Amino acid sequence: MIRSAGLAVCVFALVATVQAGELRGRVVGVIDGDTLAVVDASNQEHRIRLAEIDAPEKRQPFGQRSKQSLSGLCFGLAVVIEDKGRDRYGRVIGRVNCAGIDASADQVRRGMAW
């Protein structure tokens, strides 16, 4: 009986983790001020579009500065991403936590995104 209950709790925890839509990995590239390349534990690369913000494209005014800002915040760090779905290009849209900092909020706070 106790084994069954323990197994049920483990299965429930596993399902809850999958449903939570959390992705963990390391930032291996910064595409622009609101897009990252992240490699997960299985060495699979994911393109992550920061949720709820927009930043200038690389060739637009302040695009390079926005990219540099995000790079300084996240590049090379382990990140936790709350998966919010996919965009029309197939990228994961996510809330990205870089070393305890919400990347979307920080980019806006720095004036590098809106």
Side-chain angles (χ1 to χ4, degrees), residues 11-57:
V11 169
F12 177 77
L14 179 60
V15 170
T17 300
V18 171
Q19 289 176 344
E22 185 177 276
L23 173 66
R24 293 175 179 266
R26 181 164 307 280
V27 177
V28 295
V30 178
I31 312 310
D32 58 25
D34 58 19
T35 309
L36 299 169
V38 174
V39 173
D40 65 18
S42 64
N43 212 29
Q44 181 178 355
E45 185 173 312
H46 304 268
R47 291 288 168 111
I48 311 297
R49 172 72 163 70
L50 273 61
E52 302 165 2
I53 69 167
D54 193 19
E57 302 304 320

Side-chain angles (χ1 to χ4, degrees), residues 39-114:
V39 173
D40 65 18
S42 64
N43 212 29
Q44 181 178 355
E45 185 173 312
H46 304 268
R47 291 288 168 111
I48 311 297
R49 172 72 163 70
L50 273 61
E52 302 165 2
I53 69 167
D54 193 19
E57 302 304 320
K58 289 184 284 190
R59 292 193 172 110
Q60 292 177 328
F62 299 100
Q64 286 298 324
R65 289 186 64 193
S66 181
K67 176 182 175 181
Q68 290 169 346
S69 173
L70 185 58
S71 182
L73 178 63
C74 295
F75 185 76
L77 297 179
V79 293
V80 178
I81 302 150
E82 181 184 347
D83 189 333
K84 299 286 192 173
R86 302 275 184 270
D87 68 7
R88 64 182 175 180
Y89 303 109
R91 299 176 295 190
V92 172
I93 300 170
R95 295 295 296 195
V96 179
N97 184 308
C98 300
I101 297 171
D102 181 319
S104 293
D106 208 58
Q107 280 289 85
V108 171
R109 191 173 17 263
R110 293 175 180 199
M112 296 298 157
W114 54 91

